Amino acid sequence: MYSISVVIPALNESKNIGHVLDLLPEFVTEVILVDGGSSDGTVAVALAHRPDATVIPQSTPGKGAAMVAGMTISTSDIVVLLDADGSMDPAEIRLMVEALVKGADVAKGSRGLPGGGSMDFTPIRKLGNTVLTKVANILYGVHWTDFAYGYFALWTDTLPVLHLEALLHGADHPLQSTDGLRHRPRKLGHGFEIEALVFCRSARRGLQVVEVPSHEELRRHGTSNLKAFQDGVRVGLALLLERCRPRDKAGRLDRTLRPKS
């Protein structure tokens, strides 16, 4: 039987995190909350709803840095990345796990598949995602329907192959952000572009990436930290730079060692 971790990056999500945790499927065995320095009681609320959650403080700004920090300490066979704002349906974790158990290495949510959709697509976000998806399909020889969406799951044995921990230290993509904002990520890979790097790197290493339908809701409370144009540019840079990056010596993935359901 396989174990499942859910990693949730959070920054001042006290009004949302309890709702998200209450909806987690019963088969989730580990919850890792990566707190970005919340000042609104997010951690206390999370522990009230999920006393067994592991809480780690985030030392490097950015959603990507938080996600990698959480993934690297997971003790489970499968790790799922979930937003804390209530826009992603935890019930869809079951679809992703099923795709992984059937043979996928990475399962990614898609708002473009039948049964998927979004309540939060502004015109600029929708246009940007359409362009980025088409560019990704051309550059990486894939047929994805939704590139810039951060709801995904993977087997933890893929992490060494993807070399994600190097991103945490800025070793892979040292490009600096120039926005000068204190709480914004600086190294490429530390922000919302982390999903792009995971998917592109998976494609380059021959991992099987399967899309499953996902429906994105509006965040329940508060304002998103996503800046459509600025973060879209970072995603585009990640998409292009990862394609130009020399192949490194990725470890061999032995799928026969994975637990059976």
Side-chain angles (χ1 to χ4, degrees):
M1 187 64 182
Y2 39 82
S3 52
I4 299 169
S5 293
V6 172
V7 173
I8 307 176
L11 175 60
N12 293 329
E13 296 285 3
S14 63
K15 293 182 179 180
N16 301 317
I17 190 65
H19 171 81
V20 173
L21 293 173
D22 288 347
L23 292 179
L24 289 178
E26 72 285 349
F27 54 76
V28 170
T29 52
E30 181 180 50
V31 175
I32 300 172
L33 179 73
V34 186
D35 180 57
S38 299
S39 58
D40 68 343
T42 294
V43 172
V45 173
L47 291 175
H49 286 259
R50 188 83 187 204
D52 63 334
T54 298
V55 179
I56 62 172
Q58 183 177 347
S59 58
T60 304
K63 180 185 178 182
M67 287 169 55
V68 174
M71 284 190 281
T72 54
I73 70 163
S74 169
T75 61
S76 300
D77 302 307
I78 292 171
V79 61
V80 183
L81 281 300
L82 183 67
D83 283 357
D85 61 6
S87 63
M88 297 173 175
D89 184 0
E92 294 173 358
I93 293 174
R94 188 178 300 274
L95 295 176
M96 297 189 186
V97 171
E98 289 175 353
L100 294 176
V101 172
K102 289 178 180 178
D105 299 308
V106 180
K108 61 189 292 293
S110 171
R111 297 162 293 186
L113 288 175
S118 176
M119 298 292 291
D120 196 30
F121 254 155
T122 63
I124 189 171
R125 285 188 63 202
K126 188 172 185 178
L127 175 62
N129 186 49
T130 298
V131 172
L132 290 169
T133 300
K134 289 183 177 180
V135 172
N137 288 343
I138 292 171
L139 292 181
Y140 293 89
V142 292
H143 302 282
W144 296 330
T145 60
D146 188 358
F147 181 67
Y149 188 43
Y151 198 0
F152 70 94
L154 44 71
W155 290 98
T156 51
D157 60 17
T158 64
L159 296 177
V161 177
L162 296 174
H163 290 179
L164 295 181
E165 194 166 2
L167 291 173
L168 190 60
H169 306 294
D172 278 2
H173 291 297
L175 184 68
Q176 296 285 336
S177 166
T178 58
D179 57 28
L181 299 178
R182 186 176 141 218
H183 295 295
R184 299 282 291 167
R186 295 186 62 80
K187 299 286 188 180
L188 198 65
H190 289 182
F192 286 91
E193 69 279 358
I194 181 62
E195 296 97 353
L197 290 173
V198 169
F199 303 149
C200 293
R201 204 164 280 193
S202 296
R204 289 199 77 191
R205 283 158 174 73
L207 301 185
Q208 183 179 1
V209 181
V210 172
E211 290 187 315
V212 299
S214 180
H215 193 277
E216 180 186 32
E217 299 289 339
L218 294 171
R219 72 161 24 243
R220 289 174 58 80
H221 299 282
T223 304
S224 173
N225 292 314
L226 176 72
K227 308 299 181 186
F229 180 77
Q230 292 170 314
D231 290 312
V233 169
R234 290 176 67 98
V235 171
L237 282 172
L239 175 63
L240 296 173
L241 290 177
E242 189 62 30
R243 185 64 182 85
C244 299
R245 185 172 176 269
R247 290 182 181 272
D248 48 31
K249 294 182 179 179
R252 184 177 178 82
L253 183 62
D254 188 351
R255 298 177 177 86
T256 64
L257 299 178
R258 290 175 179 170
K260 307 299 181 182
S261 59

